[in-house]
Amino acid sequence: MGRHRGTSADDHVSEPRRRASRRRRRGTGRALAAFAAALAILVGLGVTGYFVLDGRSGCEDTPLQVAAAPEIAPVLTHLAADFNSGEHTGGRCATVEVRGVDSADVAYSMTGAGPTTGGADSQVWIPDSTLWVKVVQRDADDNAVVSTGTSVARSPLVLVTTAGNAADAETPLSWDNLVQTEALAGQESLPYQVHVVDPVNSSSGLATLALVSNAIGDEEAAQTRFIAALQGLQKSVAADEEAALTVLGETADSEEKAPLLVLSEQAAWRHSTEGSGPGTSVVYPEGGTYTLDYPYVLRTDDPEVQLAAERFRAFLTGQEAQQAIRADGFRSTDDTIDPTVLTEDLGFRSEHPGELPVPSDQATRSLIQAWNQLKLGTRLLTVVDISGSMAEFVPGTGLTRMQVTSAAATQGLTLFPPDAEMGLWEFSVRLDGDLDHRETVPIRPLDTEVDGGTQHEVLTAALTGLQPKPDGDTGLYDTILAAYQEMTETYRADRVNTLLVLTDGNNDDDDSISLEDLLVRLEETYLPDRPVSIIAISFGPDVDPEPLERIAEATNGAAYATEDPTEIGEIFLSVFALRISDQEG
């Protein structure tokens, strides 16, 4: 289902009042913590506030606003109506109003760290995951929220696919084989494509990143494998749950890869009960999964409202309420299901698939940063050496340096999304009058239509057609300076602007600027608010890596040397990893 939001008068509260309300909440961390501690003592004594509440005058008129994750809001609304009518043991002490509000909306409204549509004020918050509580506790001032240590429902993450695809699965799926983690290994090697909801706004999406990251672990080259996984996931990210589910219908009768959606059990159940689209089946990944835990969180310092919130919390964790929650496709707090709802014929299991730990708040932050940084568009100018030395053969390959470089760059194109802006220069000496470089393909998005084809196709043809200039020298330093100045002057703030240099590595142009002068000019040209980084990849056994390393370092870039064209994928992923490391720093 898509994103749903309730409405109330609070949705129209002025921004000054909203800010003032947030300041009051932030200033009440000690009171909230003290109340939470008091509740713990009461629970430990077997007391839920019944005696105290029944002795308070006006308790029945206490309003309690609850902001709940949209998928659980309907059953909570029905339960609140029951609670308000007093049709439960002990009577009532509040008038509860439940509104469905996206968990990310509430979190970002308190932290200001992400997109929000407002209307998220409440005294109680029931997000879909403790992940969002960690985000708020880390980024908001003081203790803006206090968890009661209670969940009202649970729903583990599962894989959802069409029934036929589930039946065809030959290998048990786990988080370490769900997504492509090797550069240029080709998505064709996987018979399925994993689809996730945008992790910036979705617990299931964010948890998927954490699960994949944990599966990759701390092994050698783990960061580049994780970047490859993120790139694969970004090719099939959905804005919301509803958009993700449409993929099942779109690919059901096509020859495309089988779709695997990462959703909660309850979301899979909701889709199956709608009766529209192809039949679906649930697959549980081997080795455990993450569980949405729907924590009950306090956001008020009013003693009477706090006590009312405690009574509603006790009601929701009671036997009758938990039965209603199970009937709506959730697991109860003890992980029990209703087998007549989550049925075996749809692939559901009564036993929990195994609990994997919640990522730390720092891990959560790093995952969001990595995802956002990779989403930032790419603007890349590639300059390729066509000097005479590029005609020499690379030992053990049967290919010339030019052929190796062209093949590597062509492979590298496949790593970039269609909206990446890319262009191509070639260089030797005096290719265009006194200039050592020549523009081959202007910088344009890869999906731009050009002469009946696309920019991607134009670049591929241009790279394939590169020919070494016989007896041509390598005007490396002059070309780098000219290209760097061009990229700085045409800088795009919404992109990661990069100059990629592919060469056999040695400048041998006698009329060229010196290395020391080049470094000074690069430092003068570099603008912190318009950063352009140089990435240098050199080929051949005679490469002197030091000059390119110094050039790259002057622009916060990186230099790599290789003779094996199959390594280009890992090199490009190292470039992406560098982007993320710079962001985290």
Side-chain angles (χ1 to χ4, degrees):
M1 302 296 291
R3 293 158 66 96
H4 306 284
R5 297 179 177 85
T7 58
S8 76
D10 286 345
D11 293 343
H12 307 289
V13 174
S14 66
E15 183 59 26
R17 286 183 58 193
R18 208 172 272 122
R19 288 197 298 267
S21 176
R22 287 198 291 267
R23 285 196 298 269
R24 288 193 297 272
R25 287 198 300 272
R26 289 195 293 266
T28 60
R30 293 181 179 177
L32 285 170
F35 179 70
L39 287 182
I41 294 173
L42 289 174
V43 172
L45 293 174
V47 180
T48 62
Y50 173 79
F51 175 79
V52 175
L53 290 172
D54 275 358
R56 295 180 64 89
S57 62
C59 177
E60 294 191 0
D61 296 326
T62 303
L64 183 67
Q65 294 186 344
V66 178
E71 66 273 17
I72 200 171
V75 65
L76 294 185
T77 298
H78 290 301
L79 289 171
D82 181 24
F83 181 86
N84 292 339
S85 69
E87 296 176 0
H88 56 87
T89 303
R92 65 182 175 89
C93 67
T95 300
V96 179
E97 176 191 0
V98 177
R99 294 181 296 123
V101 186
D102 285 332
S103 302
D105 271 354
V106 179
Y108 293 144
S109 72
M110 284 187 275
T111 65
T116 180
T117 59
D121 287 346
S122 64
Q123 289 87 42
V124 170
W125 180 30
I126 305 178
D128 58 5
S129 171
T130 299
L131 287 173
W132 295 117
V133 181
K134 289 177 175 289
V135 168
V136 172
Q137 290 175 332
R138 182 194 68 228
D139 293 338
D141 294 337
D142 296 328
N143 291 324
V145 296
V146 171
S147 176
T148 62
T150 299
S151 291
V152 300
R154 288 168 58 80
S155 191
L157 296 186
V158 296
L159 299 168
V160 181
T161 188
T162 56
N165 291 329
D168 294 340
E170 297 180 357
T171 304
L173 295 175
S174 62
W175 293 110
D176 59 358
N177 68 10
L178 277 174
V179 294
Q180 188 68 56
T181 59
E182 299 296 337
L184 300 177
Q187 294 294 331
E188 292 75 19
S189 63
L190 299 178
Y192 40 76
Q193 176 67 54
V194 176
H195 297 258
V196 297
V197 182
D198 190 346
V200 174
N201 298 310
S202 162
S203 294
S204 65
L206 182 55
T208 300
L209 302 189
L211 291 166
V212 172
S213 177
N214 290 340
I216 293 173
D218 298 326
E219 64 188 54
E220 185 177 356
Q223 189 174 35
T224 56
R225 294 187 67 220
F226 181 58
I227 300 304
L230 291 190
Q231 286 185 303
L233 290 173
Q234 287 195 349
K235 291 180 180 179
S236 54
V237 66
D240 52 34
E241 190 177 287
E242 184 175 359
L245 287 167
T246 59
V247 174
L248 294 178
E250 292 172 351
T251 61
D253 300 320
S254 71
E255 296 182 358
E256 297 182 17
K257 297 177 191 177
L260 288 175
L261 276 58
V262 181
L263 300 172
S264 69
E265 274 185 336
Q266 202 271 344
W269 171 80
R270 274 186 286 123
H271 179 68
S272 66
T273 57
E274 290 176 353
S276 60
T280 59
S281 185
V282 171
V283 179
Y284 290 84
E286 296 290 322
T289 188
Y290 176 73
T291 302
L292 304 185
D293 57 346
Y294 299 90
Y296 193 90
V297 180
L298 297 177
R299 297 181 61 194
T300 178
D301 62 340
D302 184 305
E304 186 167 302
V305 178
Q306 289 173 340
L307 291 171
E310 161 57 14
R311 173 54 68 84
F312 188 54
R313 183 206 63 81
F315 173 72
L316 291 181
T317 55
Q319 182 176 354
E320 293 183 3
Q322 288 292 296
Q323 182 178 354
I325 286 171
R326 288 193 297 270
D328 208 44
F330 295 95
R331 290 175 182 257
S332 52
T333 56
D334 61 357
D335 281 321
T336 303
I337 69 167
D338 184 335
T340 66
V341 176
L342 300 180
T343 58
E344 290 186 0
D345 63 310
L346 292 176
F348 293 109
R349 300 177 185 173
S350 59
E351 69 276 9
H352 191 279
E355 189 81 35
L356 292 178
V358 178
S360 67
D361 57 349
Q362 182 56 47
T364 300
R365 182 177 184 178
S366 296
L367 290 169
I368 294 176
Q369 283 183 334
W371 181 265
N372 285 336
Q373 186 69 358
L374 281 181
K375 281 174 61 178
L376 191 61
T378 294
R379 186 169 187 269
L380 178 70
L381 174 61
T382 301
V383 296
V384 181
D385 189 346
I386 63 168
S387 62
S389 58
M390 294 294 284
E392 297 181 13
F393 282 88
V394 176
T397 68
L399 301 173
T400 66
R401 295 181 187 178
M402 186 80 269
Q403 291 171 324
V404 167
T405 303
S406 297
T410 302
Q411 284 183 310
L413 283 177
T414 64
L415 294 175
F416 293 91
D419 63 348
E421 296 181 359
M422 305 186 71
L424 178 66
W425 286 10
E426 58 184 5
F427 72 94
S428 178
V429 291
R430 292 177 292 280
L431 292 183
D432 185 7
D434 291 333
L435 297 178
D436 292 342
H437 64 273
R438 178 167 54 209
E439 181 182 71
T440 307
V441 181
I443 298 176
R444 291 180 292 236
L446 290 177
D447 57 2
T448 299
E449 293 186 8
V450 182
D451 298 330
T454 65
Q455 175 79 347
H456 190 289
E457 294 168 339
V458 171
L459 280 169
T460 299
L463 288 167
T464 303
L466 289 174
Q467 296 294 328
K469 179 183 178 182
D471 301 322
D473 291 329
T474 306
L476 180 62
Y477 297 161
D478 285 344
T479 298
I480 288 177
L481 179 59
Y484 193 80
Q485 290 173 335
E486 172 70 16
M487 288 295 288
T488 301
E489 291 172 1
T490 59
Y491 179 85
R492 286 280 303 274
D494 62 337
R495 303 267 168 175
V496 175
N497 297 255
T498 306
L499 172 61
L500 174 63
V501 181
L502 300 175
T503 181
D504 64 359
N506 300 315
N507 181 79
D508 55 8
D509 180 6
D510 293 336
D511 296 327
S512 169
I513 187 175
S514 70
L515 175 60
E516 298 303 325
D517 286 342
L518 172 60
L519 294 174
V520 170
R521 296 287 296 276
L522 289 176
E523 292 174 358
E524 292 174 348
T525 305
Y526 181 81
L527 300 174
D529 59 340
R530 297 167 66 88
V532 177
S533 296
I534 294 177
I535 305 297
I537 303 176
S538 55
F539 297 83
D542 302 323
V543 173
D544 178 5
E546 182 180 359
L548 288 175
E549 290 172 355
R550 294 179 64 188
I551 290 170
E553 183 180 1
T555 63
N556 291 327
Y560 305 87
T562 182
E563 297 180 25
D564 185 355
T566 63
E567 293 180 357
I568 190 65
E570 294 300 326
I571 292 175
F572 271 108
L573 291 178
S574 296
V575 172
F576 286 115
L578 178 67
R579 284 169 51 176
I580 290 173
S581 297
D582 288 344
Q583 178 72 7
E584 291 178 349

